[in-house]
Amino acid sequence: MRSIWNGAISFGLVSIPIKLVNATESHSVSFRQIHTEDGGRVRYKKVCELDGEELTTPEIGKAYEDADGTMIPITDEDLAALPLPTAKTIEIVAFVPAGEIDPLQMDAAYYLSANGVPAAKPYTLLREALKRSDKVAVAKYALRGRERLGMLRVVDDVIAMHGLLWPDEIRAPEGVAPETPVAVRDAELDLAEALMATLGEVDMSTLRDDYRTAVEEMIAAKAEGGEAVAPPAPGEAQGGRVIDLMAALESSVRAAKEARGEDAVVTELKPRGTPKETGGKKSTSRTPAKKTATPARKSTSTADAETKETPKKATTRKTAAKKKTTASKTPAEKTTSTKKTTTKKATPRKRTA
């Protein structure tokens, strides 16, 4: 990678020669301005507004415009004469936890490369010190004619530097938050958390610019003489329309689960502390002990029914049992019982004189 700046890192009395390399690049599709009638490219000319003459690059300088419109010429010699200790140095001023850096201050990102073999040892020393301390370095440096603020941190085995905006360049968020007070219910928060859990995490390396891909496919189709691919019909715009927040959250959770191939059933969440109800009544369930006691109740009721039988039925059953016993006796037993009955009948009663 081509370096855009050469200098050194000032780490106390240690100086580390480095090269500054862009850590990012733009992949957006760029377009040219053309004349729609003949396709000719439109170019801009640098013309002096006083005499109308076209100027070349060496003829163009810089100036500061005053409040009243007066132009104050500034030369490169004027800027070079200013005391700028960070002109060719990244001067580390402090080491702080990474959480103290506001992400709003983040600007362009660069890689710092050791410039030459002698720079390898102090470069590695600073890198390992940043790793062990679990901190980042705050530094000042000069680039493109102005002094800037930077943050040094370790990425893999390389020291990276993020350009930072100065604190007074961050605007206060005045008048941005909703002015009308809004109350959020627990049920809505529960659904929002369920949606967050369903969407889950993502591998940042898998994210792609779908719009850029569509633009490139459209350009390729037109270059081959074909027609541009018709875009899908846009859905109904949601802006400025009052929606049911709970319904929208439930639909979002359902759609996220379907996209992940999970069960799309969404259980309606109720405010915390409300008892679960089924059909407007509290749901009750019998314990196993009650279920076990059911057969005992049935047997008891059966015995009670048998005890409450009428006397007529009981007599009938006794007679039937007696007949059955008589029928089951052997012939010898029947003869013996008959003789006993006859003998008893033949004995005369004694009379007293």
Side-chain angles (χ1 to χ4, degrees), residues 185-254:
R185 295 181 298 168
D186 287 343
E188 295 168 340
L189 281 175
D190 291 340
L191 275 175
E193 291 177 358
L195 178 58
M196 293 168 62
T198 304
L199 293 177
E201 299 178 356
V202 66
D203 183 2
M204 297 296 290
S205 62
T206 62
L207 300 179
R208 297 289 181 268
D209 187 351
D210 296 331
Y211 177 76
R212 188 191 75 196
T213 303
V215 171
E216 292 174 346
E217 292 176 354
M218 178 265 293
I219 294 173
K222 292 180 72 71
E224 295 176 357
E227 295 294 331
V229 180
E236 185 180 355
Q238 298 291 336
R241 204 186 70 172
V242 179
I243 61 173
D244 185 348
L245 185 57
M246 292 292 291
L249 287 171
E250 290 176 358
S251 300
S252 300
V253 174
R254 188 179 297 107

Side-chain angles (χ1 to χ4, degrees), residues 105-284:
Q105 291 184 254
M106 295 290 185
D107 201 1
Y110 308 94
Y111 289 136
L112 303 182
S113 172
N115 191 2
V117 176
K121 181 65 178 291
Y123 182 94
T124 305
L125 174 63
L126 176 58
R127 183 192 67 196
E128 296 303 315
L130 288 172
K131 283 184 179 180
R132 178 183 292 186
S133 65
D134 197 21
K135 293 183 177 181
V136 297
V138 178
K140 290 182 177 181
Y141 67 102
L143 184 65
R144 299 186 180 95
R146 55 169 294 205
E147 189 172 50
R148 303 169 188 263
L149 196 62
M151 180 191 73
L152 277 63
R153 69 185 184 97
V154 179
V155 178
D156 295 335
D157 289 332
V158 177
I159 298 176
M161 182 174 70
H162 295 268
L164 299 178
L165 299 175
W166 295 97
D168 59 358
E169 293 178 324
I170 305 298
R171 300 173 63 183
E174 296 177 356
V176 179
E179 297 179 359
T180 305
V182 178
V184 180
R185 295 181 298 168
D186 287 343
E188 295 168 340
L189 281 175
D190 291 340
L191 275 175
E193 291 177 358
L195 178 58
M196 293 168 62
T198 304
L199 293 177
E201 299 178 356
V202 66
D203 183 2
M204 297 296 290
S205 62
T206 62
L207 300 179
R208 297 289 181 268
D209 187 351
D210 296 331
Y211 177 76
R212 188 191 75 196
T213 303
V215 171
E216 292 174 346
E217 292 176 354
M218 178 265 293
I219 294 173
K222 292 180 72 71
E224 295 176 357
E227 295 294 331
V229 180
E236 185 180 355
Q238 298 291 336
R241 204 186 70 172
V242 179
I243 61 173
D244 185 348
L245 185 57
M246 292 292 291
L249 287 171
E250 290 176 358
S251 300
S252 300
V253 174
R254 188 179 297 107
K257 287 187 175 182
E258 290 176 354
R260 289 178 173 268
E262 300 177 2
D263 186 7
V265 177
V266 180
T267 304
E268 182 181 356
L269 298 178
K270 298 184 178 182
R272 296 171 184 172
T274 304
K276 297 182 179 179
E277 297 182 357
T278 306
K281 297 181 179 180
K282 293 184 179 180
S283 58
T284 55

